[in-house]
Amino acid sequence: TALQAEAQRKTYLGFEFGPKHEVSRIIGGGDSVKEYKEGDGIVGGVLFGQEIGEKILLETGFYAYRYTARVSLDNYGSAGIRAYGASQIPFHLKAPIPLFGTRLRLTPAAGFSVVFQNNYGNDFTSSGTSLGYYPDGDYVSVGAPTNFRKAFVLLDAGLSLEWEFKSTFIVYLSGNYFGGPQRVIESDLTSKTGSEPLEYGQLYSNGSYFAKILGVKFPISPIWQYKKGS
């Protein structure tokens, strides 16, 4: 019956973490100035999921991480805006697709997140000047950040491979992209290479990043099911 099907829908508690790479944007600054390609730290958090249909899962939770924007000169070294702490609250819809039975699943996800900048309003937000020196006196300088947003929205998309172990827990690997529709932080930059004149430009971030996630989640009973059994 419909009531039995509803009672069988699971609630999940999950934990996940993994490396992230931020997507910075550069305007001007010379041809030698590139986006910094190294890793940008770790993102991790806790998730709560609820099955809302036979093939749909709704998730929310809390992520914590640090975000920044950096550049390099000829892909050597880096300079950038200092890292800032962020708290992210995601809202995802997931649609598991069974592979080779019911235990292995490919799960696409889509949704959005609300992000809060933890250091907003502190003296820390007015700092951030960074200067990178290179051979032959070349350098790139990134100034203090401006246009700083206390809260912003990211649009999310991801794909995960999940494996369920005897209905007791699920382990998964996923790749996720979080893209921002507007600038959340920006800074002026100056660069010099060899005998060339100074080049001026701008470094900014929409808060966007890629993440490779390792996670585990456990099915837990909804509160109303405990009440029903008591």
Side-chain angles (χ1 to χ4, degrees):
T1 66
L3 290 177
Q4 289 176 328
E6 184 175 351
Q8 292 174 355
R9 293 174 185 168
K10 297 177 181 178
T11 301
Y12 292 94
L13 171 65
F15 304 91
E16 58 183 43
F17 73 98
K20 59 187 283 288
H21 173 66
E22 287 150 357
V23 181
S24 304
R25 305 296 183 188
I26 303 167
I27 300 175
D31 295 335
S32 297
V33 177
K34 310 292 183 182
E35 180 191 345
Y36 189 57
K37 297 296 184 181
E38 300 300 324
D40 298 305
I42 299 293
V43 58
V46 59
L47 291 176
F48 297 94
Q50 174 65 54
E51 293 179 344
I52 58 175
E54 293 182 1
K55 299 181 180 181
I56 299 294
L57 177 69
L58 175 64
E59 280 189 352
T60 188
F62 175 83
Y63 294 148
Y65 62 92
R66 298 175 71 82
Y67 77 97
T68 184
R70 301 190 69 80
V71 296
S72 64
L73 194 66
D74 288 328
N75 297 314
Y76 180 83
S78 70
I81 300 169
R82 290 180 60 176
Y84 298 91
S87 300
Q88 179 176 343
I89 301 176
F91 299 91
H92 296 151
L93 284 176
K94 295 186 173 182
I97 302 171
L99 301 174
F100 310 110
T102 58
R103 296 194 183 278
L104 184 64
R105 298 187 285 267
L106 187 66
T107 304
F112 70 96
S113 295
V114 180
V115 183
F116 299 93
Q117 201 289 113
N118 298 338
N119 302 102
Y120 189 85
N122 299 340
D123 291 339
F124 186 63
T125 62
S126 62
S127 63
T129 301
S130 178
L131 178 63
Y133 285 100
Y134 305 89
D136 303 320
D138 299 347
Y139 70 88
V140 58
S141 175
V142 176
T146 58
N147 194 26
F148 206 67
R149 292 188 178 272
K150 182 176 182 180
F152 53 92
V153 173
L154 298 176
L155 305 179
D156 312 349
L159 186 66
S160 61
L161 185 64
E162 303 181 346
W163 180 264
E164 184 173 354
F165 290 84
K166 298 181 180 180
S167 299
T168 56
F169 65 94
I170 297 171
V171 175
Y172 56 94
L173 292 170
S174 67
N176 302 81
Y177 175 71
F178 301 86
Q182 60 184 347
R183 296 187 186 187
V184 301
I185 191 171
E186 58 189 46
S187 180
D188 294 329
L189 66 87
T190 306
S191 68
K192 186 179 187 307
T193 55
S195 60
E196 297 295 322
L198 290 175
E199 297 272 6
Y200 300 95
Q202 191 175 63
L203 168 66
Y204 70 92
S205 170
N206 291 351
S208 306
Y209 69 92
F210 292 95
K212 300 175 183 177
I213 297 295
L214 172 64
V216 59
K217 56 186 178 182
F218 307 87
I220 57 176
S221 297
I223 296 176
W224 62 267
Q225 284 186 281
Y226 282 113
K227 291 182 178 180
K228 185 177 179 179
S230 61

